[in-house]
């Protein structure tokens, strides 16, 4: 399931790489990108404490999303804040991997996959 999420994320990132826009103008999909960034932050933390041995995989996916979207200024800051919010929120709740953390991982992967599919379907050329 994680591989399909990753594939959809990469596809979405490639499709959303848009031509030059006004520097800080909000895109119609910014809310979804911020939620996806939050999910990536959550997965970066939870997969780490649950022994997935993925290193910086989810952080790297976040960086790839930022690179593909090329936001600057406020848009970039909002995406990074979403990632950090996801990471920090679960860091305060979970210190070790629990059954609830494993359920959260599964649900966030499913939600992230859905967001990626929806964005690709709506905004890909």
């Amino acid at each position: 399931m994680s591989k399909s999420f990753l594939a959809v994320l990469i596809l979405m990132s490639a499709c959303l790489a848009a031509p030059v826009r006004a520097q800080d103008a909000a895109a119609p999909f910014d809310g979804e990108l911020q939620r996806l960034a939050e999910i990536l932050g959550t997965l970066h933390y939870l997969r780490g404490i649950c022994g997935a041995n993925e290193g910086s995989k989810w952080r790297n996916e976040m960086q790839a999303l930022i690179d593909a979207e090329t936001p600057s200024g406020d848009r970039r800051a909002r995406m990074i804040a979403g990632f950090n919010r996801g990471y920090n929120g679960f860091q305060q709740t979970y210190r070790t991997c629990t059954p609830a953390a494993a359920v959260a991982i599964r649900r966030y992967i499913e939600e992230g996959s859905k967001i990626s599919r929806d964005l690709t379907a709506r905004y890909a050329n």
Side-chain angles (χ1 to χ4, degrees), residues 2 6 12-13 15-16 19 27 29 31 33 35 37 39 43 46-47 67-68 74 79 82 87 89 92 97 100 112 116:
S2 177
L6 178 62
M12 183 204 65
S13 297
C15 292
L16 291 178
F29 46 81
L33 285 182
R35 179 62 183 150
I39 289 168
L43 291 172
L46 288 178
R47 297 282 292 172
D67 292 346
D74 290 342
M79 288 178 71
Y87 186 94
Q92 293 173 6
C97 189
S116 295

Side-chain angles (χ1 to χ4, degrees), residues 2-114:
S2 177
K3 288 183 181 180
S4 65
F5 174 67
L6 178 62
V8 170
L9 179 63
I10 291 170
L11 175 63
M12 183 204 65
S13 297
C15 292
L16 291 178
V20 177
R21 285 195 285 262
Q23 263 195 338
D24 288 332
F29 46 81
D30 276 358
E32 288 113 331
L33 285 182
Q34 288 176 33
R35 179 62 183 150
L36 189 56
E38 191 171 330
I39 289 168
L40 291 171
T42 298
L43 291 172
H44 182 59
Y45 180 72
L46 288 178
R47 297 282 292 172
I49 65 167
C50 287
N53 295 323
E54 297 171 326
S56 294
K57 173 183 177 177
W58 299 103
R59 185 190 177 288
N60 293 342
E61 291 304 317
M62 178 64 195
Q63 187 61 55
L65 182 60
I66 288 173
D67 292 346
E69 186 53 29
T70 62
S72 62
D74 290 342
R75 287 186 74 227
R76 179 183 179 91
R78 285 190 301 270
M79 288 178 71
I80 292 169
F83 181 89
N84 290 337
R85 189 171 41 256
Y87 186 94
N88 293 331
F90 279 87
Q91 185 181 38
Q92 293 173 6
T93 305
Y94 295 96
R95 299 284 185 225
T96 61
C97 189
T98 64
V103 168
I105 289 169
R106 188 180 74 248
R107 288 182 179 165
Y108 280 104
I109 287 174
E110 289 171 4
E111 183 182 355
S113 295
K114 181 180 183 325

